[in-house]
């Protein structure tokens, strides 16, 4: 379902808001995809009845009217449990809304519930969730990706129409790819992160998932913009011009053998390039330096920031507390040992190591140096081209359980995902085919998100 189709059904009387929201909850119960951690059922159904009354009284059906929304469970919701998929926050109920939830509540959208995820957004398969992994509706034998797995599975299974995720190194685009929907990670700071539980401050951004680019735009228009509560947030350049693909220049990164791109992904990507070229678009192949090192660069910087961010979840300021302890030190150690999963502990340990005086922070300093070089390369590239096309991921989804058996797998977010977070630019993942898994990623210039979405809509039509 998409917003336009849903609104048409509301307008012609084929559906009432209440009947559709009831159907959404029936889908959740029957599917058992574990897309949600906490449901907002009573409030959602009451709101749906109120919206039906508005329709009877002649209200306009536009924007997000009656649209069911999934909200990733690391985004604070006043009075609705927010766990970040961790035992440490399993009973945490916020007393205020994140900025984006405040904005959402000013519309007639309906929050269905808090979507499942990897614990504290640390993972790439949802298998680190304290509440169990989400199941991929496209193929239940495959990983749904992560960390925003629940939002992706909910949309793919019609348990929501649009939804919020967070993207640190591909955490919106990878599950969108693996569940065959659209995933958008905007420019860093385009959406306020106030009230979003941070994983890695300099990479994190709130992202959006939907079944098409038009729906991405609708939710993005509501949620974007500068906030007084987030000094990293800012307004974007507006863009209202029509786009003709024959008038734009596209760069595509050469898929070298050492990048280990899955042959099926490589083939699908080539097919998509030919379709886009048939519109008259100019596509030129280019090369970038340091791509093979991007996952390591990302891992070092992310781990250092994780170690700092997670420090407040100590059982005293936030988080569950043990009842018995022998000393203050034992209190902190026990809380973090008992209430964090293995992946969170692993990243804390790595962050401590990479930021340690004993290592003279040499890995962190080197990673920051390469990050600056990558950002400079991307800036130069986007001075010449309108967008950069790549595969979203370099491999197909793993089988369920394979990621949890491989401690390195959760760090491998895919170099083409990671490069956009390292350089603070927006990117969107589009499915190449409705029948087969595989997506293209379109990355654009910093702060030119509205232009990127226009281009993405045209490319979506060509595919």
């Amino acid at each position: 379902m998409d917003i336009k189709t849903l609104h048409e059904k509301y307008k012609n009387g084929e559906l009432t808001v209440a009947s559709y929201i009831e159907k959404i909850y029936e889908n959740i119960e029957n599917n058992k995809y574990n897309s949600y951690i906490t449901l907002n059922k009573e409030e959602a159904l009451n709101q749906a009845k109120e919206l039906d009354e508005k329709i009877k009284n002649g209200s306009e059906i536009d924007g997000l009217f009656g649209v069911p929304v999934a909200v990733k469970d690391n985004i604070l919701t006043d009075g609705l449990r927010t766990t970040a998929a961790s035992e440490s926050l399993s009973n945490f109920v916020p007393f205020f809304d994140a900025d984006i939830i405040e904005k959402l509540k000013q519309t007639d959208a309906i929050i269905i519930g808090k979507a499942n995820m990897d614990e504290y957004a640390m993972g790439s398969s949802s298998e680190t969730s304290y509440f169990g992994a989400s199941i991929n509706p496209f193929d239940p034998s495959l990983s749904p990706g992560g960390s925003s797995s629940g939002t992706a599975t909910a949309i793919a299974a019609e348990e929501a129409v649009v939804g919020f995720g967070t993207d640190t190194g591909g955490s919106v685009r990878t599950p969108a790819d693996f569940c065959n929907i659209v995933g958008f990670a905007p420019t860093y700071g385009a959406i306020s992160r106030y009230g979003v539980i941070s994983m890695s401050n300099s990479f994190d951004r709130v992202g959006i998932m939907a079944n098409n680019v038009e729906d991405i735009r609708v939710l993005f228009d509501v949620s974007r913009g500068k906030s007084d509560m987030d000094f990293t947030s800012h307004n974007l350049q507006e863009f209202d011009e029509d786009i003709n693909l024959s008038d734009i220049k596209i760069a595509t990164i050469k898929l070298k053998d050492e990048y280990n791109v899955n042959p099926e992904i490589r083939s699908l990507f080539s097919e998509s390039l030919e379709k886009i070229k048939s519109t008259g678009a100019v596509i030129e192949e280019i090369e970038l330096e340091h791509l093979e090192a991007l996952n390591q660069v990302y891992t070092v910087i992310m781990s250092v920031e994780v170690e700092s961010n997670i420090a407040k979840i100590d059982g005293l300021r936030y988080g569950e507390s043990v009842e018995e302890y022998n000393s203050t030190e034992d209190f902190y150690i026990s809380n973090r040992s008992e209430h964090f999963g293995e992946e969170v502990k692993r990243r804390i340990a790595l962050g401590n190591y990479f930021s340690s005086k004993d290592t003279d922070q040499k890995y962190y300093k080197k990673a920051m140096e390469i990050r600056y070089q990558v950002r400079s390369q991307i800036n130069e590239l986007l001075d010449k081209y309108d967008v950069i096309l790549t595969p979203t991921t370099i491999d197909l989804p793993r089988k369920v359980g394979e990621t949890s058996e491989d401690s390195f797998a959760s760090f491998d977010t895919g170099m083409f995902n990671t490069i956009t977070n390292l350089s603070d630019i927006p990117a969107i993942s589009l499915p190449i085919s409705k029948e087969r898994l595989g997506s293209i990623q379109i990355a654009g210039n910093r702060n030119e998100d509205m232009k990127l979405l226009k281009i993405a809509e045209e490319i979506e039509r060509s595919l």
Side-chain angles (χ1 to χ4, degrees):
M1 183 75 75
D2 58 68
I3 294 174
K4 184 177 180 180
T5 303
L6 179 61
H7 282 174
E8 286 173 355
K9 291 179 183 292
Y10 287 159
K11 288 173 183 176
N12 65 26
E14 185 178 340
L15 285 174
T16 64
V17 182
S19 67
Y20 186 62
I21 299 305
E22 284 172 356
K23 182 187 179 215
I24 290 289
Y25 284 110
E26 286 174 8
N27 289 347
I28 293 168
E29 183 178 349
N30 294 334
N31 290 337
K32 301 189 186 305
Y33 290 140
N34 202 27
S35 301
Y36 292 94
I37 292 173
T38 304
L39 295 176
N40 189 39
K41 187 173 183 179
E42 183 177 353
E43 185 172 332
L45 290 174
N46 287 337
Q47 185 185 355
K49 292 172 185 175
E50 292 172 3
L51 294 183
D52 282 329
E53 287 300 315
K54 284 188 176 184
I55 293 175
K56 289 178 183 176
N57 294 326
S59 280
E60 288 291 322
I61 301 174
D62 56 15
L64 288 166
F65 186 98
V67 175
V69 182
V71 177
K72 189 174 179 178
D73 202 28
N74 59 347
I75 299 171
L76 301 190
T77 43
D78 185 10
L80 185 62
R81 186 173 67 146
T82 301
T83 71
S86 177
E87 181 183 10
S88 64
L89 292 180
S90 55
N91 295 305
F92 177 58
V93 179
F95 57 86
F96 69 94
D97 284 320
D99 270 351
I100 55 171
I101 301 302
E102 280 192 5
K103 290 180 176 181
L104 191 66
K105 287 182 176 179
Q106 292 170 15
T107 74
D108 286 317
I110 298 175
I111 296 174
I112 296 300
K114 305 304 290 294
N116 202 357
M117 56 183 284
D118 283 294
E119 184 180 10
Y120 286 108
M122 300 181 202
S124 59
S125 65
S126 89
E127 292 168 335
T128 70
S129 172
Y130 174 67
F131 300 91
S134 297
I135 296 170
N136 190 335
F138 189 89
D139 182 343
S141 72
L142 301 177
S143 164
S147 64
S148 305
S149 54
T151 304
T153 59
I155 292 167
E158 202 175 345
E159 298 173 358
V161 170
V162 294
F164 287 120
T166 58
D167 193 301
T168 306
S171 291
V172 160
R173 290 158 288 158
T174 297
D177 176 19
F178 289 0
C179 294
N180 213 34
I181 62 170
V182 180
F184 175 52
T187 296
Y188 180 81
I191 298 177
S192 168
R193 291 179 295 116
Y194 179 72
V196 180
I197 298 171
S198 292
M199 174 183 152
S200 178
N201 296 39
S202 72
F203 291 140
D204 288 348
R205 58 196 72 182
V206 176
I208 296 171
M209 298 161 130
N211 283 304
N212 59 39
V213 180
E214 184 179 354
D215 287 2
I216 295 281
R217 181 191 294 277
V218 173
L219 186 52
F220 187 47
D221 279 340
V222 167
S223 52
R224 66 188 173 98
K226 184 171 177 56
S227 166
D228 292 337
M229 304 301 291
D230 178 1
F231 73 91
T232 68
S233 66
H234 52 82
N235 294 318
L236 297 170
Q237 297 177 19
E238 296 297 336
F239 188 86
D240 295 321
E241 301 171 25
D242 290 332
I243 287 288
N244 188 321
L245 290 182
S246 63
D247 296 329
I248 67 170
K249 288 188 69 177
I250 298 172
T252 181
I253 298 174
K254 184 177 182 180
L255 304 182
K256 296 180 181 179
D257 291 342
E258 56 263 37
Y259 297 162
N260 297 316
V261 179
N262 181 290
E264 188 171 341
I265 296 290
R266 190 185 289 268
S267 174
L268 280 170
F269 184 63
S270 295
E271 287 178 26
S272 68
L273 289 184
E274 291 305 312
K275 289 179 182 178
I276 297 166
K277 284 179 182 177
S278 70
T279 68
V282 176
I283 301 179
E284 297 179 1
E285 190 175 74
I286 56 94
E287 295 186 30
L288 289 178
E289 297 178 358
H290 309 304
L291 278 187
E292 64 282 352
L294 289 191
N295 280 332
Q296 293 93 322
V297 169
Y298 166 79
T299 297
V300 171
I301 299 171
M302 172 271 296
S303 298
V304 170
E305 294 182 2
V306 161
E307 186 272 329
S308 175
N309 279 323
I310 212 75
K312 61 182 173 287
I313 315 295
D314 56 13
L316 186 62
R317 288 168 287 184
Y318 298 97
E320 296 293 297
S321 298
V322 294
E323 294 183 359
E324 297 181 3
Y325 52 92
N326 298 320
S327 64
T328 302
E329 182 180 10
D330 182 47
F331 172 80
Y332 287 116
I333 291 172
S334 296
N335 284 332
R336 293 160 75 82
S337 297
E338 292 184 21
H339 298 131
F340 287 158
E342 289 303 313
E343 187 61 37
V344 177
K345 294 174 188 175
R346 182 181 295 119
R347 298 193 189 201
I348 291 171
L350 282 172
N352 275 300
Y353 175 74
F354 292 136
S355 60
S356 169
K357 288 182 180 179
D358 294 341
T359 63
D360 193 32
Q361 299 184 348
K362 62 182 179 181
Y363 302 105
Y364 179 70
K365 291 173 183 175
K366 188 64 176 178
M368 290 298 288
E369 179 185 330
I370 296 175
R371 181 181 189 178
Y372 175 78
Q373 292 174 5
V374 168
R375 184 183 172 111
S376 296
Q377 283 186 82
I378 292 295
N379 289 346
E380 291 177 9
L381 190 59
L382 289 170
D383 282 341
K384 301 175 185 176
Y385 298 93
D386 294 285
V387 291
I388 305 167
L389 283 186
T390 67
T392 300
T393 56
I394 62 172
D395 207 354
L396 295 169
R398 293 183 177 220
K399 292 290 185 181
V400 171
E402 287 183 0
T403 301
S404 59
E405 294 169 0
D406 181 358
S407 61
F408 293 104
S410 66
F411 296 99
D412 188 4
T413 58
M415 63 181 73
F416 299 127
N417 278 178
T418 309
I419 196 170
T420 64
N421 296 80
L422 284 164
S423 50
D424 302 335
I425 61 173
I428 187 167
S429 172
L430 301 180
I432 293 172
S433 164
K434 289 295 182 184
E435 290 73 37
R436 294 182 291 173
L437 289 180
S439 299
I440 61 166
Q441 175 177 268
I442 314 164
N445 222 328
R446 196 173 300 109
N447 298 327
E448 294 184 1
D449 300 54
M450 308 316 294
K451 179 180 178 181
L452 172 64
L453 291 177
K454 282 269 193 178
I455 293 171
E457 285 180 298
E458 293 304 316
I459 290 177
E460 183 180 47
R461 290 188 186 99
S462 75
L463 295 176

